């Protein structure tokens, strides 16, 4: 255990690794995730990309979705995420949006790459501008492009939390 707000409990990392190993036996990807709030496990997830035909069904994404439903919130304030492997760029983005207290992982992205899971291309492309990415991407501003944000601002002005 560590002192301070970051509570590292290797039992949860071991559980994430166990979930990942068990998932391979079920034809899933070798990734697992456990989300803990206080001393309570609020969610577990495994990689279900191939089972669900869903490229976003990573262990962290599955666990975040489940935890948010369980907590009735879109944020994981006060929670800790334990992942069997360093989160990929997509999962890392979702983790930042969910705002947990801390993230701990067992294997590195480099170890995952040696097993054939290489996210390095995504890491390399993230800082590039639209025209420099391998995926064709370009902004085309239509006249009404700001209308959703205007509607959101009006909505927020009259919403009392």
């Amino acid at each position: 255990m560590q002192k301070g707000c970051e509570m590292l409990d290797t039992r949860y990392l071991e559980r994430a690794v166990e979930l990942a190993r068990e998932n391979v036996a079920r034809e899933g990807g070798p990734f697992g995730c456990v989300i803990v709030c206080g001393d309570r496990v609020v969610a577990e997830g495994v990689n279900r990309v191939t089972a669900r035909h869903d490229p976003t069904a990573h262990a962290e994404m599955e666990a975040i979705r489940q935890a948010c439903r369980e907590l009735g919130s879109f944020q994981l304030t006060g929670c800790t995420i334990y992942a069997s492997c360093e989160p990929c760029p997509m999962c890392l983005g979702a983790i930042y949006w969910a705002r947990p207290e801390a993230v701990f992982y067992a294997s590195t992205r480099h170890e995952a790459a040696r097993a054939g899971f290489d996210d390095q291309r995504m890491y390399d492309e993230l800082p590039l501008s639209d025209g420099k990415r391998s995926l064709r991407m370009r902004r085309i501003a239509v006249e009404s492009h700001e209308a959703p944000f205007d509607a959101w601002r009006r909505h927020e002005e009259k919403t009392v939390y």
Side-chain angles (χ1 to χ4, degrees):
M1 298 285 254
Q2 289 182 326
K3 294 186 180 197
C5 65
E6 294 181 358
M7 299 302 291
L8 170 60
D9 190 327
T10 57
R11 292 176 301 168
Y12 299 125
L13 270 176
E14 292 289 347
R15 175 64 180 152
V17 170
E18 177 185 357
L19 287 168
R21 185 187 51 74
E22 290 172 352
N23 199 46
V24 171
R26 290 188 302 273
E27 307 288 324
F31 303 97
C33 181
V34 176
I35 299 179
V36 178
C37 234
D39 59 356
R40 181 171 74 102
V41 173
V42 293
E44 294 183 339
V46 294
N47 182 289
R48 295 192 171 144
V49 169
T50 55
R52 291 199 176 152
H53 306 288
D54 179 355
T56 69
H58 290 200
E60 297 90 340
M61 301 293 281
E62 295 287 297
I64 288 169
R65 290 174 182 136
Q66 181 184 343
C68 288
R69 282 191 302 272
E70 173 73 20
L71 298 171
S73 174
F74 61 91
Q75 294 187 335
L76 299 177
T77 307
C79 295
T80 302
I81 295 177
Y82 296 89
S84 64
C85 189
E86 182 177 356
C88 75
M90 176 185 68
C91 293
L92 191 56
I95 288 166
Y96 272 99
W97 282 115
R99 294 176 174 85
E101 197 75 20
V103 177
F104 300 105
Y105 58 90
S107 296
T108 68
R109 66 185 188 201
H110 307 291
E111 291 165 320
R114 287 195 293 275
F117 297 90
D118 194 358
D119 301 331
Q120 192 58 48
R121 181 176 74 93
M122 286 177 271
Y123 282 104
D124 293 342
E125 293 233 346
L126 281 173
L128 301 178
S129 61
D130 289 356
K132 302 213 189 250
R133 292 184 178 142
S134 64
L135 176 62
R136 195 171 126 205
M137 193 176 215
R138 189 174 100 192
R139 177 180 187 250
I140 300 173
V142 295
E143 189 174 319
S144 62
H145 74 276
E146 288 194 59
F149 299 119
D150 294 340
W152 175 257
R153 283 189 287 275
R154 285 191 302 276
H155 170 77
E156 286 298 294
E157 288 170 0
K158 45 185 193 182
T159 302
V160 178
Y161 292 99

